[in-house]
Amino acid sequence: MNSLRAFEAAARHSSFAKAASELNVSHSVVSQHVKKLELWFGTELFMRLGNRVELSGDGRALLPQVASGLQTLRDGCNSLLRKTQSGTLVVSAEPALASLWLRKRATEFCKLFPRIEIDLRPAWTPDRLGDENADMLIHFETRMPSSGVERQGLFPIDGYPACTPKFRDKLLSDDLRIDWDSVPLVHDNGREIWHKWYAAYQPESSGWQQGRVYSDLSLAIDAAVDGEGIVLADDILCQREIESGALVRLDPQAVRCVWYQIALPKGGLKAPVSETLKQWLLDQALPHRNN
């Protein structure tokens, strides 16, 4: 079963490395699982092309059946889990993620699993795991505990300059160019991310030192929507503002801001329902990890 899961993930990503990241194992483990399948079937399932892999003819024939079978198993297990699993999960999450992405999905999860309750606790510093503390952490990878936990990537945040349409029209000069030395910026939790963007795309400018700093991304987004300046927005946490047109992309160039991770206690200390929530959230975040 593990070999089939590894094959399906590698086929979907066209990459052993991305499959390994999704399954939370090493690249070599995925490669070994695929080799076992190839020996068992007596045929190559992938063509190795440097760092990339492509399905062979036999691999393409096998994939739909394996994907369908795995989905049937997941659906069957989830159907039973919805009836049997119960309890309260304490989830400690970074405040902006908790407000802008996780809250809505926690509500959806509880509708699917009505016997499970989620106690969502926003926190700038991740809570301790286990005992009477949090059952799950969802936070910046840089703030996660370094030991005693099992961590898995949720999704990355790639920020690009965005502002209101009215503010954009005021900024653009006659030649449709922006003066990045003097534009008013909106920062969240320090100036580091704007500094990273300027270092990548405007290295000669010190414009990143300007603008007001807010303690939380939610406040920074609200400030940008109110016309205070340009914020580094993204397509996940700022989805509502971008899709509604309240904020528009001012520049196509983006910078990696952060990775969010999920962490559970290592070993047998985790609550059984934690694994169910973790896998459900990873499935919800899968399109963002594949972009």
Side-chain angles (χ1 to χ4, degrees):
M1 181 61 68
N2 285 335
S3 295
L4 290 172
R5 288 180 65 208
F7 163 75
E8 189 273 338
R12 180 159 32 82
H13 291 292
S14 295
S15 167
F16 286 1
K18 290 183 178 180
S21 177
E22 177 180 323
L23 299 174
N24 202 27
V25 298
S26 67
H27 180 285
S28 62
V29 168
V30 172
S31 180
Q32 290 168 11
H33 278 310
V34 172
K35 286 180 180 178
K36 286 180 182 179
L37 278 184
E38 291 179 326
L39 287 172
W40 191 64
F41 285 119
T43 185
E44 289 191 349
L45 300 174
F46 290 96
M47 296 180 289
R48 278 72 170 176
L49 306 169
N51 295 328
R52 191 169 56 87
V53 293
E54 287 186 3
L55 286 169
S56 65
D58 288 332
R60 285 194 297 272
L62 178 64
L63 177 60
Q65 313 303 324
V66 171
S68 176
L70 290 174
Q71 187 61 52
T72 298
L73 289 172
R74 281 193 292 268
D75 291 345
C77 292
N78 285 339
S79 178
L80 182 58
L81 287 172
R82 290 169 190 171
K83 298 177 183 177
T84 59
Q85 284 200 328
S86 61
T88 299
L89 278 174
V90 177
V91 180
S92 175
E94 187 273 325
L97 177 78
S99 173
L100 301 174
W101 190 83
L102 186 55
R103 179 199 56 78
K104 180 179 179 180
R105 283 158 183 82
T107 299
E108 293 173 359
F109 177 84
C110 290
K111 288 180 180 178
L112 291 172
F113 297 84
R115 297 180 64 186
I116 299 177
E117 294 185 7
I118 296 177
D119 181 356
L120 181 57
R121 300 180 182 178
W124 269 114
T125 301
D127 201 351
R128 295 177 59 189
L129 280 174
D131 299 325
E132 297 182 359
N133 299 299
D135 299 302
M136 176 184 292
L137 305 179
I138 308 180
H139 220 288
F140 303 142
E141 63 175 345
T142 54
R143 295 191 181 180
M144 285 293 192
S146 58
S147 61
V149 299
E150 297 174 359
R151 305 193 299 181
Q152 192 159 353
L154 184 63
F155 50 67
I157 295 295
D158 294 324
Y160 51 81
C163 62
T164 65
K166 184 177 180 180
F167 198 88
R168 174 198 58 193
D169 294 341
K170 288 172 59 178
L171 279 177
L172 293 175
S173 59
D174 293 337
D175 58 359
L176 300 182
R177 302 186 68 170
I178 297 170
D179 180 6
W180 289 103
D181 290 328
S182 61
V183 291
L185 305 179
V186 177
H187 304 264
D188 71 281
N189 193 32
R191 304 181 189 273
E192 178 185 351
I193 303 303
W194 264 118
H195 189 187
K196 185 186 295 187
W197 188 91
Y198 268 74
Y201 304 115
Q202 299 289 330
E204 305 300 322
S205 175
S206 59
W208 60 273
Q209 298 179 17
Q210 305 178 82
R212 186 169 180 182
V213 178
Y214 288 90
S215 62
D216 179 79
L217 178 60
S218 298
L219 295 174
I221 293 171
D222 288 344
V225 170
D226 287 341
E228 290 187 18
I230 306 171
V231 69
L232 280 176
D234 69 276
D235 292 332
I236 303 175
L237 302 184
C238 303
Q239 180 183 11
R240 180 173 58 185
E241 288 77 15
I242 295 297
E243 290 185 350
S244 69
L247 293 177
V248 293
R249 192 164 185 158
L250 189 60
D251 190 285
Q253 299 172 117
V255 67
R256 176 61 49 85
C257 300
V258 71
W259 257 94
Y260 281 105
Q261 287 186 337
I262 296 179
L264 298 178
K266 183 173 286 187
L269 299 176
K270 62 179 72 69
V273 291
S274 296
E275 285 288 349
T276 302
L277 175 60
K278 183 192 80 169
Q279 191 55 56
W280 189 84
L281 290 174
L282 289 173
D283 289 344
Q284 295 293 301
L286 184 59
H288 305 310
R289 292 200 302 278
N290 290 340
N291 288 342

